[in-house]
Amino acid sequence: MTSALHAQRRARLAAQLGPDGIAIVPTAPEQPRNRDTDFLYRHDSYFYYLTGFTEPNAWLVLAGDGRATLFCAPKDLEREIWDGYRLGPEAAPGVLGVDEAFSVATLDSALPRLLENRGTVWYPFATHAGLETRVDGWLQKVRARVRFGALCPEQQRDLCGPLDEMRLVKDAHEQDVMRRAADISARAHVRAMKTSARMLRAGQEVREYHLDAELLHEFRLGGSQYPAYGSIVAAGANACVLHYRADAAPVRAGELVLIDAGCELDGYASDITRTFPADGRFTGPQRALYDLVLASQDAAVAATRAGQRFNDPHEATVKVLAQGLLDLGLLDANKVGSVQDVIDNRSYFQFYMHRTGHWLGMDVHDCGSYVEPTQVGEVSERKDPLSGELIKNRPSRILQPGMVLTIEPGLYVRPAEGVPEQFHHIGIRIEDDAIVTENGCELITRGVPVHADEIEALMRD
Ligand code: GLY
Ligand code: MN
Ligand code: MN
């Protein structure tokens, strides 16, 4: 990635800070796992967006005039022998394009000077434990100098606001990385499907972790650093547990497997779900539900284009699912009424209890407001039909080219009175990643088949 791209982003952000504004952006802390072992390090997404720098112990300070100062770990031969290479402040300006860089050890002494005579301090609110306290400490030191003529910033503002808006629309470079991440993840899903069928055909025992291993293999083979989130590999009834994780349950012929897994590549997430028959052949009831979920996804895809609202794909999905649940007898029209009643009363919620998508980017549930910023003042109230809670509604976000979201309808059938037994314990979700375009959307995850016939064909070969 070029430092010019990050310099452009910093310039765009700086222009929003005001001439007397200054922004402070820390990267993520290292997280201890146990004793002296840490979790695998993952940088902070805001920090990475503005610097492209992935080392821990680093801070960016960006002034309203665009001047960028980096604080990073100093060169230290002994630490580098143990922990690895450090860029160091001497090389940082040349490599990252920041104006100057200093050792992070000087942060506490340097920050009061940088904040002095500024009007507004910006930093991401409620994202880094203890950050507010550190800013307070620096401001106290500025205040101690007011009697010598220094001015102390009078305002603190949340940097997430402008940064979230910037991150919401992905530039060409980001879209390119996301397409590559999606390709790797699609290959991983194909590999898991094929492995499941091959092992079962060979009479081998298959467990969820075998398929998880296939995903990881393909992620790393493609150059991905790590999964973008904990992979869900759910065999049989486990698919009805929305946040299930790959575990040790047996994968049996005749049952479905739901895999929700995506790799992270160079800081960007992908997020794919496929549900397939463990041995490569759908049963009748499985196929009926699968085709319904797919039809609801098709409707959502058709509703995803610039000018539509974020909620439109969800509403399109719900319409198709509501009709299908009545047609298949999962909901009884004598009890729940018409399709419109099912929608209005949220009767479908018994089988479909999540939303149809979310923003996707550096974070799998990416930042960005779901409310249309030009209409935040247009508040309406409605009573939730299930909880009775009074909910404040604001108009949903209008989609723009370059926004990236997931489209992920599902159905999860737990045994209950009146629910036909043939559908019990079936859980299905189909999830693709879409880049919004002027006239529609680009599904970047279709390297893995989604039609039931195509899945069966893939698993036969
Ligand atoms: N894998 C997380 C999600 O689908 O939202
Ligand atoms: Mn998702
Ligand atoms: Mn997912």
Side-chain angles (χ1 to χ4, degrees), residues 154-339:
E154 290 186 341
Q155 274 203 75
Q156 296 186 30
R157 291 192 62 184
D158 186 5
L159 192 65
C160 295
L163 269 178
D164 287 357
E165 280 301 299
M166 287 174 67
R167 283 177 53 185
L168 183 53
V169 178
K170 277 68 180 173
D171 61 34
H173 172 82
E174 294 181 290
Q175 292 182 26
D176 177 57
V177 180
M178 292 188 76
R179 282 188 194 95
R180 288 190 284 122
D183 278 342
I184 296 168
S185 298
R187 286 202 294 277
H189 278 259
V190 166
R191 186 184 180 103
M193 285 178 188
K194 286 186 164 177
T195 300
S196 177
R198 178 172 41 76
M199 288 178 72
L200 287 174
R201 269 201 301 271
Q204 291 166 340
E205 181 191 53
V206 184
R207 294 199 176 248
E208 292 165 339
Y209 55 72
H210 289 125
L211 304 185
D212 190 28
E214 298 297 313
L215 298 169
L216 279 171
H217 179 98
E218 203 64 39
F219 288 174
R220 292 296 278 151
L221 201 64
S224 149
Q225 288 78 13
Y226 20 67
Y229 52 92
S231 300
I232 296 171
V233 180
N238 293 334
C240 294
V241 180
L242 296 181
H243 288 163
Y244 189 79
R245 293 287 291 270
D247 201 354
V251 173
R252 296 193 186 91
E255 290 186 339
L256 293 176
V257 184
L258 182 155
I259 295 185
D260 182 345
C263 72
E264 181 172 313
L265 178 71
D266 298 342
Y268 286 81
S270 53
D271 185 6
I272 303 182
T273 307
R274 287 292 182 269
T275 310
F276 58 90
D279 59 352
R281 272 190 315 271
F282 285 92
T283 65
Q286 289 168 354
R287 174 81 191 237
L289 283 190
Y290 188 90
D291 286 347
L292 173 56
V293 175
L294 186 59
S296 79
Q297 198 206 31
D298 288 343
V301 170
T304 304
R305 66 172 172 280
Q308 295 280 112
R309 294 198 185 256
F310 175 81
N311 271 351
D312 290 341
H314 179 68
E315 280 163 20
T317 287
V318 163
K319 222 179 241 180
V320 174
L321 290 180
Q323 181 67 60
L325 290 168
L326 289 168
D327 293 345
L328 292 174
L330 279 117
L331 290 175
D332 181 353
N334 294 320
K335 294 196 179 124
V336 296
S338 69
V339 175

Side-chain angles (χ1 to χ4, degrees), residues 143-157:
R143 219 171 260 147
R145 293 174 50 79
V146 292
R147 78 183 79 130
F148 306 111
L151 296 178
C152 188
E154 290 186 341
Q155 274 203 75
Q156 296 186 30
R157 291 192 62 184

Side-chain angles (χ1 to χ4, degrees), residues 271 358 406 408 431:
D271 185 6
H358 51 81
T406 65
E408 48 177 309
E431 176 173 29

